[in-house]
Coordinates of all heavy atoms in Angstrom, one line a residue:
M379 N 0.8 -1.2 0.0 CA 0.0 0.0 0.0 C 0.9 1.3 0.0 O 0.5 2.2 -0.7 CB -0.9 0.0 1.2 CG -1.9 1.1 1.3 SD -3.0 1.1 -0.1 CE -4.0 2.5 0.3
E380 N 2.0 1.2 0.8 CA 2.8 2.4 0.8 C 3.5 2.7 -0.6 O 3.7 3.8 -0.9 CB 3.9 2.2 1.8 CG 3.4 2.2 3.3 CD 3.1 0.8 3.7 OE1 3.4 -0.2 3.0 OE2 2.4 0.7 4.7
F381 N 3.8 1.6 -1.3 CA 4.4 1.8 -2.6 C 3.4 2.5 -3.6 O 3.8 3.3 -4.3 CB 4.8 0.4 -3.1 CG 5.5 0.4 -4.4 CD1 6.8 0.9 -4.4 CD2 5.0 0.0 -5.6 CE1 7.6 0.9 -5.6 CE2 5.7 0.0 -6.8 CZ 7.0 0.5 -6.8
L382 N 2.1 2.1 -3.5 CA 1.1 2.7 -4.3 C 0.9 4.2 -4.0 O 0.8 5.0 -4.8 CB -0.2 1.9 -4.2 CG -1.4 2.5 -5.0 CD1 -1.2 2.3 -6.5 CD2 -2.7 1.8 -4.5
M383 N 1.0 4.4 -2.7 CA 0.8 5.8 -2.3 C 2.0 6.7 -2.7 O 1.8 7.8 -3.2 CB 0.7 5.9 -0.7 CG -0.7 5.3 -0.3 SD -0.8 5.1 1.5 CE -0.4 6.7 2.1
A384 N 3.2 6.1 -2.6 CA 4.4 6.9 -3.0 C 4.5 7.1 -4.5 O 5.0 8.2 -4.9 CB 5.6 6.2 -2.5
L385 N 4.0 6.2 -5.3 CA 4.2 6.3 -6.7 C 3.0 6.9 -7.4 O 3.1 7.3 -8.6 CB 4.5 5.0 -7.3 CG 5.9 4.5 -7.1 CD1 6.1 3.1 -7.7 CD2 6.9 5.5 -7.6
L386 N 1.8 6.9 -6.8 CA 0.6 7.3 -7.5 C -0.2 8.4 -6.8 O -0.4 9.5 -7.3 CB -0.3 6.1 -7.8 CG -1.6 6.4 -8.6 CD1 -1.2 6.8 -10.0 CD2 -2.5 5.2 -8.6
I387 N -0.5 8.2 -5.6 CA -1.4 9.1 -4.8 C -0.7 10.4 -4.4 O -1.2 11.5 -4.7 CB -2.0 8.4 -3.6 CG1 -2.9 7.2 -4.1 CG2 -2.9 9.3 -2.8 CD1 -3.4 6.3 -3.0
F388 N 0.4 10.3 -3.8 CA 1.1 11.5 -3.3 C 1.6 12.4 -4.5 O 1.5 13.6 -4.3 CB 2.3 11.1 -2.4 CG 1.9 10.5 -1.1 CD1 2.8 9.7 -0.4 CD2 0.6 10.8 -0.6 CE1 2.4 9.2 0.8 CE2 0.3 10.2 0.7 CZ 1.1 9.4 1.4
P389 N 2.1 11.8 -5.6 CA 2.5 12.7 -6.7 C 1.3 13.5 -7.3 O 1.4 14.7 -7.6 CB 3.1 11.8 -7.7 CG 3.6 10.6 -7.0 CD 2.6 10.5 -5.8
V390 N 0.2 12.8 -7.4 CA -1.0 13.5 -7.9 C -1.5 14.5 -7.0 O -1.8 15.6 -7.4 CB -2.1 12.4 -8.2 CG1 -3.4 13.1 -8.5 CG2 -1.7 11.5 -9.3
L391 N -1.4 14.3 -5.7 CA -1.8 15.3 -4.7 C -0.9 16.5 -4.7 O -1.4 17.6 -4.6 CB -1.8 14.7 -3.3 CG -3.0 13.7 -3.0 CD1 -2.8 13.1 -1.6 CD2 -4.3 14.4 -3.1
S392 N 0.4 16.2 -4.9 CA 1.3 17.4 -4.9 C 1.1 18.2 -6.2 O 1.2 19.4 -6.1 CB 2.8 16.8 -4.9 OG 3.0 16.2 -3.7
F393 N 0.9 17.5 -7.3 CA 0.6 18.3 -8.6 C -0.6 19.1 -8.5 O -0.7 20.3 -8.8 CB 0.5 17.3 -9.7 CG 0.5 17.9 -11.1 CD1 1.6 18.4 -11.6 CD2 -0.7 18.0 -11.7 CE1 1.5 19.0 -12.9 CE2 -0.8 18.5 -13.0 CZ 0.3 19.1 -13.6
I394 N -1.7 18.5 -7.9 CA -3.0 19.2 -7.8 C -2.8 20.4 -6.8 O -3.4 21.5 -7.0 CB -4.1 18.3 -7.3 CG1 -4.4 17.3 -8.5 CG2 -5.3 19.0 -6.9 CD1 -5.4 16.2 -8.2
F395 N -2.1 20.2 -5.7 CA -1.8 21.2 -4.7 C -1.1 22.4 -5.4 O -1.3 23.5 -5.1 CB -1.1 20.7 -3.5 CG -0.8 21.9 -2.5 CD1 -1.8 22.4 -1.7 CD2 0.5 22.4 -2.5 CE1 -1.5 23.4 -0.9 CE2 0.8 23.5 -1.6 CZ -0.2 24.0 -0.8
G396 N -0.1 22.1 -6.3 CA 0.6 23.1 -7.0 C -0.3 23.9 -7.9 O -0.2 25.1 -7.9
I397 N -1.2 23.3 -8.5 CA -2.2 24.0 -9.4 C -3.1 24.9 -8.5 O -3.3 26.1 -8.8 CB -3.0 23.0 -10.2 CG1 -2.1 22.3 -11.3 CG2 -4.2 23.7 -10.9 CD1 -2.8 21.2 -12.0
I398 N -3.7 24.3 -7.5 CA -4.7 25.0 -6.7 C -3.9 26.1 -5.9 O -4.4 27.3 -5.8 CB -5.4 24.1 -5.7 CG1 -6.3 23.2 -6.5 CG2 -6.2 24.8 -4.7 CD1 -7.0 22.1 -5.8
G399 N -2.8 25.8 -5.4 CA -2.0 26.8 -4.7 C -1.6 28.0 -5.5 O -1.6 29.1 -5.1
Q400 N -1.2 27.8 -6.8 CA -0.9 28.9 -7.7 C -2.1 29.7 -8.0 O -2.0 30.9 -8.1 CB -0.3 28.3 -9.0 CG 0.1 29.3 -9.9 CD 1.2 30.3 -9.5 OE1 2.0 29.9 -8.6 NE2 1.2 31.5 -10.0
I401 N -3.3 29.1 -8.1 CA -4.5 29.9 -8.4 C -4.8 30.8 -7.2 O -5.2 31.9 -7.3 CB -5.6 28.9 -8.7 CG1 -5.4 28.3 -10.1 CG2 -7.0 29.7 -8.7 CD1 -6.3 27.2 -10.4
L402 N -4.7 30.2 -6.0 CA -5.0 31.0 -4.8 C -4.0 31.9 -4.3 O -4.3 33.1 -3.9 CB -5.4 30.0 -3.6 CG -6.6 29.1 -3.9 CD1 -6.7 28.1 -2.7 CD2 -7.8 29.9 -4.0
I403 N -2.7 31.5 -4.3 CA -1.6 32.3 -3.7 C -0.9 33.2 -4.7 O -0.5 34.3 -4.4 CB -0.6 31.4 -2.9 CG1 -1.3 30.6 -1.8 CG2 0.5 32.2 -2.4 CD1 -0.5 29.6 -1.1
K404 N -0.8 32.7 -5.9 CA -0.2 33.4 -7.1 C 1.3 33.6 -6.9 O 1.9 34.5 -7.5 CB -0.9 34.7 -7.3 CG -2.3 34.6 -7.7 CD -3.0 35.9 -8.0 CE -4.4 35.8 -8.4 NZ -5.3 34.9 -7.8
R405 N 2.0 32.8 -6.1 CA 3.4 32.8 -6.0 C 3.9 31.4 -6.0 O 3.7 30.6 -5.1 CB 3.8 33.5 -4.6 CG 3.4 34.9 -4.4 CD 4.3 35.8 -5.2 NE 3.9 37.2 -4.9 CZ 3.6 38.1 -5.8 NH1 3.7 37.8 -7.0 NH2 3.3 39.3 -5.5
V406 N 4.8 31.1 -7.0 CA 5.2 29.8 -7.3 C 6.1 29.3 -6.1 O 5.9 28.2 -5.6 CB 6.0 29.7 -8.6 CG1 6.6 28.3 -8.8 CG2 5.2 30.0 -9.8
Y407 N 7.0 30.1 -5.6 CA 7.9 29.7 -4.6 C 7.3 29.5 -3.2 O 7.7 28.6 -2.5 CB 9.1 30.6 -4.5 CG 9.9 30.7 -5.8 CD1 9.9 31.8 -6.6 CD2 10.6 29.5 -6.2 CE1 10.6 31.8 -7.8 CE2 11.3 29.5 -7.4 CZ 11.3 30.6 -8.1 OH 12.0 30.6 -9.3
I408 N 6.2 30.2 -3.0 CA 5.5 30.0 -1.7 C 4.7 28.7 -1.8 O 4.7 27.9 -0.8 CB 4.5 31.2 -1.4 CG1 5.4 32.4 -1.2 CG2 3.6 30.9 -0.3 CD1 4.6 33.7 -1.0
V409 N 4.1 28.4 -2.9 CA 3.4 27.1 -3.1 C 4.4 25.9 -2.9 O 4.1 25.0 -2.2 CB 2.7 27.1 -4.4 CG1 2.1 25.7 -4.7 CG2 1.6 28.2 -4.5
V410 N 5.5 26.0 -3.6 CA 6.5 25.0 -3.5 C 7.1 24.9 -2.1 O 7.3 23.8 -1.6 CB 7.6 25.2 -4.5 CG1 8.7 24.1 -4.4 CG2 7.1 25.1 -5.9
G411 N 7.3 26.0 -1.4 CA 7.8 26.0 -0.1 C 6.8 25.3 0.9 O 7.2 24.6 1.8
I412 N 5.5 25.6 0.7 CA 4.5 25.0 1.6 C 4.5 23.5 1.4 O 4.4 22.7 2.3 CB 3.1 25.6 1.3 CG1 3.1 27.1 1.8 CG2 2.0 24.8 2.0 CD1 1.9 27.8 1.4
T413 N 4.6 23.1 0.1 CA 4.6 21.7 -0.2 C 5.8 21.0 0.4 O 5.7 19.9 1.0 CB 4.6 21.5 -1.8 OG1 3.5 22.2 -2.3 CG2 4.6 20.0 -2.1
L414 N 7.0 21.6 0.2 CA 8.2 21.1 0.8 C 8.1 20.9 2.3 O 8.5 19.9 2.9 CB 9.4 21.9 0.4 CG 10.8 21.5 0.9 CD1 11.2 20.2 0.2 CD2 11.8 22.6 0.7
L415 N 7.6 22.0 3.0 CA 7.5 22.0 4.4 C 6.6 20.9 4.9 O 6.9 20.2 5.9 CB 7.1 23.3 4.9 CG 7.0 23.5 6.4 CD1 8.4 23.4 7.0 CD2 6.4 24.8 6.7
C416 N 5.4 20.8 4.2 CA 4.4 19.7 4.7 C 5.0 18.3 4.5 O 4.8 17.5 5.4 CB 3.2 19.9 3.9 SG 2.2 21.4 4.3
W417 N 5.7 18.1 3.4 CA 6.2 16.7 3.2 C 7.4 16.5 4.1 O 7.6 15.3 4.5 CB 6.6 16.5 1.7 CG 5.5 16.3 0.8 CD1 5.1 17.1 -0.2 CD2 4.5 15.2 0.9 NE1 3.9 16.5 -0.8 CE2 3.6 15.4 -0.1 CE3 4.4 14.1 1.7 CZ2 2.5 14.5 -0.4 CZ3 3.3 13.2 1.5 CH2 2.4 13.4 0.5
L418 N 8.2 17.5 4.4 CA 9.3 17.3 5.4 C 8.7 17.0 6.8 O 9.3 16.1 7.4 CB 10.1 18.6 5.5 CG 11.2 18.7 4.5 CD1 11.9 20.1 4.6 CD2 12.2 17.6 4.6
I419 N 7.7 17.6 7.2 CA 7.1 17.3 8.5 C 6.5 15.9 8.5 O 6.7 15.1 9.4 CB 6.0 18.3 8.8 CG1 6.6 19.7 9.1 CG2 5.1 17.9 10.0 CD1 5.6 20.8 9.2
A420 N 5.9 15.5 7.4 CA 5.4 14.2 7.3 C 6.5 13.1 7.2 O 6.3 12.0 7.8 CB 4.5 14.0 6.0
T421 N 7.6 13.5 6.6 CA 8.7 12.5 6.6 C 9.2 12.2 8.0 O 9.4 11.0 8.3 CB 9.9 13.1 5.8 OG1 9.4 13.3 4.4 CG2 11.1 12.2 5.8
F422 N 9.4 13.2 8.8 CA 10.0 12.9 10.1 C 9.0 12.5 11.2 O 9.4 12.1 12.3 CB 10.8 14.1 10.5 CG 12.0 14.3 9.6 CD1 12.1 15.4 8.8 CD2 13.0 13.3 9.6 CE1 13.2 15.5 8.0 CE2 14.1 13.4 8.8 CZ 14.2 14.6 8.0
T423 N 7.7 12.7 10.9 CA 6.7 12.3 11.9 C 6.0 11.0 11.5 O 5.7 10.2 12.4 CB 5.6 13.4 12.1 OG1 5.0 13.7 10.8 CG2 6.2 14.6 12.7
I424 N 5.7 10.8 10.2 CA 4.9 9.6 9.8 C 5.8 8.6 9.2 O 5.8 7.4 9.5 CB 3.8 10.0 8.8 CG1 2.9 11.0 9.5 CG2 3.1 8.8 8.3 CD1 1.9 11.6 8.6
F425 N 6.7 9.0 8.2 CA 7.5 8.1 7.5 C 8.9 8.0 8.1 O 9.1 8.5 9.2 CB 7.6 8.5 6.0 CG 6.2 8.7 5.4 CD1 5.7 9.9 5.1 CD2 5.4 7.6 5.1 CE1 4.5 10.1 4.5 CE2 4.2 7.7 4.5 CZ 3.7 9.0 4.2
N426 N 9.9 7.4 7.4 CA 11.2 7.4 7.9 C 12.1 8.2 6.9 O 11.7 8.8 6.0 CB 11.7 6.0 8.0 CG 11.6 5.2 6.7 OD1 11.5 5.8 5.6 ND2 11.7 3.9 6.8
D427 N 13.4 8.2 7.2 CA 14.4 9.1 6.5 C 14.5 8.7 5.0 O 14.9 9.5 4.2 CB 15.7 9.0 7.2 CG 15.7 9.6 8.5 OD1 14.8 10.4 8.8 OD2 16.7 9.4 9.3
S428 N 14.2 7.5 4.7 CA 14.3 7.1 3.3 C 13.2 7.7 2.4 O 13.4 7.7 1.2 CB 14.2 5.5 3.2 OG 13.0 5.1 3.6
F429 N 12.2 8.3 3.0 CA 11.2 9.0 2.3 C 11.6 10.4 1.8 O 11.0 11.0 1.0 CB 9.9 9.1 3.2 CG 8.7 9.6 2.4 CD1 8.0 8.7 1.6 CD2 8.2 10.9 2.6 CE1 6.8 9.1 1.0 CE2 7.1 11.3 2.0 CZ 6.4 10.4 1.2
L430 N 12.8 10.8 2.3 CA 13.3 12.2 2.0 C 13.4 12.4 0.5 O 13.2 13.6 0.0 CB 14.6 12.4 2.7 CG 15.0 13.9 2.8 CD1 14.0 14.7 3.5 CD2 16.3 14.0 3.5
I431 N 13.9 11.5 -0.3 CA 14.0 11.7 -1.7 C 12.7 12.0 -2.4 O 12.6 12.8 -3.3 CB 14.7 10.5 -2.4 CG1 15.1 10.8 -3.9 CG2 13.9 9.2 -2.3 CD1 16.1 11.8 -4.1
W432 N 11.6 11.3 -1.9 CA 10.3 11.6 -2.4 C 9.8 13.0 -2.1 O 9.1 13.6 -2.9 CB 9.3 10.6 -1.9 CG 9.6 9.2 -2.4 CD1 10.1 8.2 -1.7 CD2 9.3 8.7 -3.7 NE1 10.2 7.1 -2.5 CE2 9.7 7.4 -3.8 CE3 8.8 9.3 -4.9 CZ2 9.6 6.6 -4.9 CZ3 8.7 8.5 -6.0 CH2 9.1 7.2 -6.0
V433 N 10.3 13.6 -1.0 CA 9.9 14.9 -0.7 C 10.3 15.9 -1.8 O 9.6 16.8 -2.2 CB 10.5 15.3 0.7 CG1 10.4 16.8 1.0 CG2 9.9 14.5 1.8
F434 N 11.6 15.7 -2.3 CA 12.1 16.6 -3.3 C 11.4 16.4 -4.6 O 11.1 17.3 -5.4 CB 13.6 16.5 -3.4 CG 14.3 16.9 -2.2 CD1 14.9 16.0 -1.4 CD2 14.3 18.2 -1.8 CE1 15.6 16.4 -0.2 CE2 14.9 18.6 -0.6 CZ 15.6 17.7 0.2
I435 N 11.0 15.1 -4.9 CA 10.3 14.8 -6.1 C 8.9 15.4 -6.1 O 8.5 16.0 -7.1 CB 10.3 13.3 -6.4 CG1 11.7 12.7 -6.6 CG2 9.3 12.9 -7.5 CD1 11.8 11.2 -6.6
Y436 N 8.2 15.3 -5.0 CA 6.9 15.9 -4.9 C 6.9 17.4 -4.9 O 6.0 18.0 -5.5 CB 6.2 15.4 -3.6 CG 6.0 14.0 -3.4 CD1 6.0 13.4 -2.2 CD2 5.9 13.1 -4.5 CE1 5.8 12.0 -2.0 CE2 5.8 11.8 -4.4 CZ 5.7 11.2 -3.1 OH 5.5 9.9 -3.0
S437 N 8.0 18.0 -4.4 CA 8.1 19.4 -4.5 C 8.3 19.9 -6.0 O 7.8 20.9 -6.4 CB 9.3 19.9 -3.6 OG 9.0 19.6 -2.3
I438 N 9.1 19.1 -6.7 CA 9.3 19.4 -8.1 C 8.0 19.3 -8.9 O 7.7 20.1 -9.7 CB 10.4 18.5 -8.7 CG1 11.8 18.9 -8.1 CG2 10.4 18.6 -10.2 CD1 12.9 18.0 -8.4
L439 N 7.2 18.3 -8.6 CA 5.9 18.1 -9.2 C 5.0 19.2 -8.9 O 4.2 19.7 -9.7 CB 5.3 16.8 -8.8 CG 5.9 15.5 -9.4 CD1 5.3 14.3 -8.8 CD2 5.7 15.5 -10.9
S440 N 5.0 19.7 -7.7 CA 4.2 20.9 -7.2 C 4.7 22.1 -8.0 O 3.8 22.9 -8.5 CB 4.4 21.1 -5.7 OG 3.7 22.2 -5.4
M441 N 6.0 22.3 -8.2 CA 6.5 23.4 -9.0 C 6.0 23.3 -10.4 O 5.6 24.3 -11.0 CB 8.0 23.5 -8.9 CG 8.6 24.7 -9.7 SD 10.3 24.7 -9.7 CE 10.8 24.9 -8.1
I442 N 6.0 22.1 -11.0 CA 5.6 22.0 -12.4 C 4.1 22.4 -12.5 O 3.7 23.1 -13.4 CB 5.9 20.5 -12.9 CG1 7.3 20.3 -13.0 CG2 5.1 20.3 -14.2 CD1 7.7 18.8 -13.2
G443 N 3.3 21.9 -11.6 CA 1.9 22.3 -11.6 C 1.7 23.8 -11.5 O 0.8 24.4 -12.2
A444 N 2.4 24.4 -10.6 CA 2.3 25.8 -10.4 C 2.8 26.6 -11.6 O 2.2 27.6 -12.0 CB 3.0 26.2 -9.1
L445 N 3.9 26.2 -12.2 CA 4.4 26.9 -13.4 C 3.4 26.7 -14.6 O 3.3 27.7 -15.4 CB 5.8 26.4 -13.7 CG 6.9 26.8 -12.8 CD1 8.2 26.1 -13.1 CD2 7.0 28.3 -12.8
I446 N 2.8 25.6 -14.7 CA 1.8 25.4 -15.8 C 0.7 26.4 -15.6 O 0.3 27.1 -16.6 CB 1.3 24.0 -15.8 CG1 2.3 23.0 -16.3 CG2 0.0 23.9 -16.7 CD1 2.0 21.6 -16.2
V447 N 0.2 26.6 -14.4 CA -0.9 27.6 -14.2 C -0.4 29.0 -14.4 O -1.0 29.8 -15.0 CB -1.5 27.4 -12.8 CG1 -2.4 28.5 -12.5 CG2 -2.2 26.1 -12.7
C448 N 0.9 29.2 -14.0 CA 1.5 30.6 -14.1 C 1.5 31.0 -15.6 O 1.2 32.1 -16.0 CB 2.8 30.6 -13.5 SG 3.6 32.2 -13.5
Y449 N 2.0 30.0 -16.4 CA 2.1 30.4 -17.9 C 0.8 30.4 -18.6 O 0.6 31.1 -19.6 CB 3.1 29.4 -18.5 CG 4.5 29.7 -18.1 CD1 5.3 28.7 -17.5 CD2 5.1 30.9 -18.3 CE1 6.6 28.9 -17.1 CE2 6.4 31.2 -17.9 CZ 7.1 30.2 -17.3 OH 8.4 30.4 -16.9
V450 N -0.2 29.6 -18.2 CA -1.5 29.6 -18.8 C -2.2 30.8 -18.5 O -2.9 31.4 -19.4 CB -2.3 28.3 -18.4 CG1 -3.7 28.4 -18.8 CG2 -1.6 27.1 -19.0
K451 N -2.1 31.3 -17.3 CA -2.9 32.5 -16.8 C -2.1 33.8 -17.1 O -2.6 34.9 -16.7 CB -3.2 32.4 -15.4 CG -4.2 31.3 -15.1 CD -4.7 31.3 -13.7 CE -5.7 32.4 -13.6 NZ -6.6 32.4 -12.5
K452 N -0.9 33.7 -17.7 CA -0.1 34.9 -17.9 C -0.8 35.8 -18.9 O -1.3 35.4 -19.9 CB 1.2 34.5 -18.5 CG 2.3 35.5 -18.6 CD 3.6 34.9 -19.1 CE 4.7 36.0 -19.1 NZ 5.9 35.4 -19.6
P453 N -0.9 37.1 -18.5 CA -1.6 38.0 -19.4 C -0.9 38.2 -20.7 O 0.4 38.3 -20.8 CB -1.7 39.3 -18.6 CG -0.6 39.2 -17.6 CD -0.4 37.8 -17.3
K454 N -1.6 38.2 -21.8 CA -1.0 38.4 -23.1 C -1.0 39.8 -23.5 O -2.0 40.5 -23.6 CB -1.8 37.5 -24.1 CG -1.9 36.1 -23.6 CD -2.0 35.1 -24.8 CE -2.0 33.7 -24.4 NZ -2.1 33.2 -23.1
N455 N 0.2 40.4 -23.8 CA 0.3 41.8 -24.2 C 0.5 41.9 -25.6 O 1.1 41.2 -26.3 CB 1.4 42.5 -23.4 CG 1.1 42.6 -21.9 OD1 -0.1 42.6 -21.6 ND2 2.1 42.6 -21.1

């Protein structure tokens, strides 16, 4: 079950959080920082140290989602 969560559920949640966070907050780095902080807290409270690599992968996915929204909603001059 943990393998399924690490490879499917958590990446999708991070990507969706990046999209929703960018729409609400409108700052890419704040959205990614919140994602990173939440996953770091979860790593040391729920999971173990080997989950740390996934924290960075999920943060990158969150950044990709936020950047997609940033470029789609960019005003065209």
Side-chain angles (χ1 to χ4, degrees):
M379 182 65 178
E380 293 88 14
F381 187 71
L382 177 68
M383 289 172 53
L385 286 180
L386 185 66
I387 297 171
F388 292 157
V390 171
L391 286 177
S392 294
F393 187 76
I394 291 172
F395 178 76
I397 291 171
I398 293 172
Q400 180 64 25
I401 291 170
L402 296 177
I403 299 173
K404 296 180 177 46
R405 300 279 185 234
V406 174
Y407 296 112
I408 293 176
V409 172
V410 175
I412 291 171
T413 305
L414 179 69
L415 184 66
C416 290
W417 284 118
L418 276 175
I419 291 170
T421 297
F422 294 113
T423 57
I424 300 170
F425 305 109
N426 56 16
D427 295 341
S428 65
F429 191 77
L430 192 60
I431 187 68
W432 291 106
V433 170
F434 297 111
I435 293 170
Y436 299 154
S437 298
I438 291 169
L439 287 173
S440 176
M441 182 186 295
I442 291 170
L445 287 174
I446 288 172
V447 171
C448 183
Y449 288 123
V450 167
K451 293 189 78 160
K452 190 175 186 180
K454 305 208 176 12
N455 292 331

